[in-house]
Amino acid sequence: MDRAFWSGRRVLLTGHTGFKGSWAALWLHHMGAEVHGLALPPEGPANLHDRLGDIVARPTAWCDLRDRSAVRAAVDAAKPQVVLHMAAQAFVRRSYAEPQNTFETNVQGTVNLLEALRGQEALRGIVVVTSDKVYRNDGGGRAFRETDPLGGHDPYSASKAACEHAVAAYAASYFEADGVRVATVRGGNVIGGGDFSEDRILPDIWRAIAAGQPLVMRNPEATRPWQHVLDCLSGYFTLTEHLLGDASTPRQINIGP
């Protein structure tokens, strides 16, 4: 990664209070970026954001993506040059319990952000983080390619696939004409320090150890490719650098192990 690219650059980072978002905010801060955060407060008493402190993303807009006016106010205040959109309802099992919230956050929330970004004079690039679960999965076990059709059997996966369509429509309809480069990145199954989230294998292991309880595996027959959070983020950051400097960069990128 090119530290000079990020130094002094105004970055709007949504979801900076989450696991990946907290690491992203810290890393961008150390590369000299001016990081503006937009997110809900962190969940639970144990979270990486509070342990890192608020220096990594300041000022912070405590904002629900579903609140169109609040999103626009945060964007107008940040005047971003680059946007890394990581905020989402990111849990598959929660999406079954809260499908409406999942679609409103992941689809309409992204549209609210993109709408607020239209006409931002300093804006040069937008990178939207979706998921490796956006693909139509036939269960064949083949590794997905960026050109594979989108799908989604559960509300989370379907909402992220719908988010991809919304981003592509805004890119073609509005941002290309203004010279703003737009891309989506599809990472998944991320592990690393500071993850206290629900339904994650490493936090589940340590919670079971701390409680002196047997570990319960939700899907013991599943096969997952794991990647470290810093590997995933380095892909996001490097793609952003190329996006703003290389016209041949594709618009959908898998960030895989």
Side-chain angles (χ1 to χ4, degrees):
M1 290 170 291
D2 182 3
R3 181 182 292 267
F5 173 90
W6 297 100
S7 181
R9 196 176 291 266
R10 291 194 307 280
V11 179
L12 177 61
L13 174 63
T14 75
H16 70 284
T17 57
F19 164 51
K20 282 199 298 183
S22 294
W23 276 114
L26 178 64
W27 201 342
L28 289 168
H29 172 75
H30 279 288
M31 289 193 292
E34 180 186 320
V35 184
H36 294 251
L38 187 164
L40 293 172
E43 287 192 352
N47 63 83
L48 181 59
H49 174 268
D50 288 349
R51 296 190 177 203
L52 293 175
D54 65 356
I55 65 165
V56 295
R58 189 170 54 191
T60 288
W62 301 119
C63 176
D64 190 320
L65 284 173
R66 296 172 295 177
D67 187 337
R68 187 179 308 171
S69 297
V71 170
R72 179 167 293 278
V75 169
D76 288 343
K79 297 179 174 59
Q81 296 169 295
V82 176
V83 177
L84 296 174
H85 177 38
M86 302 178 69
Q89 194 302 94
F91 301 104
V92 174
R93 289 212 300 175
R94 187 183 296 184
S95 78
Y96 281 107
E98 303 174 3
Q100 182 173 338
N101 172 58
T102 299
F103 279 98
E104 288 177 349
T105 299
N106 295 351
V107 185
Q108 187 59 53
T110 299
V111 169
N112 290 344
L113 176 65
L114 295 173
E115 189 67 18
L117 291 170
R118 289 176 59 193
Q120 289 291 320
E121 293 183 358
L123 185 63
R124 295 295 177 267
I126 305 169
V127 173
V128 177
V129 176
T130 61
S131 170
D132 62 346
K133 295 176 178 60
V134 298
Y135 299 105
R136 186 183 305 161
N137 192 345
D138 62 5
R142 177 181 63 81
F144 294 119
R145 303 183 183 94
E146 287 87 348
T147 54
D148 283 346
L150 303 182
H153 296 296
D154 58 84
Y156 169 74
S157 302
S159 73
K160 284 297 194 176
C163 174
E164 291 261 358
H165 288 300
V167 172
Y170 265 78
S173 300
Y174 307 110
F175 292 115
E176 284 184 359
D178 291 336
V180 177
R181 305 296 307 283
V182 181
T184 58
V185 287
R186 302 164 181 169
N189 301 310
V190 176
I191 60 175
D195 187 2
F196 300 93
S197 303
E198 64 187 70
D199 293 346
R200 299 265 178 83
I201 188 167
L202 289 187
D204 284 351
I205 291 171
W206 288 110
R207 280 190 284 260
I209 291 172
Q213 299 292 329
L215 173 66
V216 177
M217 299 292 291
R218 290 180 301 278
N219 299 291
E221 302 302 320
T223 299
R224 294 287 186 268
W226 301 101
Q227 58 187 149
H228 192 270
V229 60
L230 298 185
D231 290 331
C232 184
L233 292 177
S234 69
Y236 296 169
F237 296 157
T238 303
L239 178 276
T240 305
E241 294 172 17
H242 285 291
L243 183 71
L244 271 65
D246 182 357
S248 67
T249 302
R251 290 195 186 126
Q252 298 84 32
I253 304 294
N254 285 329
I255 306 297

